[in-house]
Amino acid sequence: MPRANDLATKVFYKGESDDFVVFVDDVEILKKWRIDRSIPLADVLNGWKIFVTHSHGAQGVLDTASNAALENEFGTKKEDECMVKILEGGELQTNTNREREGSKNDSKGPMAIGR
């Protein structure tokens, strides 16, 4: 059975000193939020966390952004203000995670060698 083939939608923000990523639940909700700010950020975001890729682009290793990184880039360490700036100025990227398929226990059943 395939696993980990969910749709991942993120907003990538290319900053002056670092690159930032936040994940969103739905593209349509993000588009509506960009027009109508009465929609709560909690409905737009998939998790309340800002990631940093250490200037390795959208596909880099994701680490949690430190307060210092947020302060250097956005002038504030308040996550909600930083998220708004990322959602406003970032690039929307949608991709499907690659399927992973493999055996679960090779020691059982016909897959066992030497029986």
Side-chain angles (χ1 to χ4, degrees):
M1 177 175 182
R3 296 168 284 170
N5 55 351
D6 294 334
L7 190 66
T9 306
K10 61 185 170 185
V11 177
F12 172 72
Y13 181 88
K14 178 98 173 126
E16 296 292 323
S17 59
D18 268 321
D19 300 335
F20 297 88
V21 172
V22 293
F23 288 91
V24 295
D25 277 329
D26 187 12
V27 176
E28 293 304 316
I29 293 175
L30 174 63
K31 289 178 182 177
K32 289 178 185 176
W33 176 85
R34 286 181 171 169
I35 296 168
D36 178 15
R37 295 299 170 91
S38 67
I39 299 171
L41 275 179
D43 291 347
V44 177
L45 296 168
N46 183 353
W48 198 263
K49 192 164 241 187
I50 300 172
F51 297 97
V52 64
T53 66
H54 305 290
S55 300
H56 290 162
Q59 305 305 321
V61 175
L62 299 178
D63 290 327
T64 301
S66 67
N67 287 340
L70 297 176
E71 185 78 39
N72 288 339
E73 186 65 41
F74 303 107
T76 182
K77 61 183 179 183
K78 295 181 181 177
E79 287 185 344
D80 54 342
E81 292 177 18
C82 296
M83 287 180 185
V84 167
K85 291 179 182 180
I86 292 170
L87 291 173
E88 288 174 341
E91 172 190 339
L92 182 65
Q93 298 182 348
T94 304
N95 65 330
T96 303
N97 291 336
R98 197 177 83 226
E99 282 185 8
R100 294 184 312 226
E101 211 170 305
S103 60
K104 293 179 179 63
N105 191 347
D106 291 340
S107 66
K108 292 184 176 181
M111 297 181 87
I113 299 174
R115 284 189 181 214

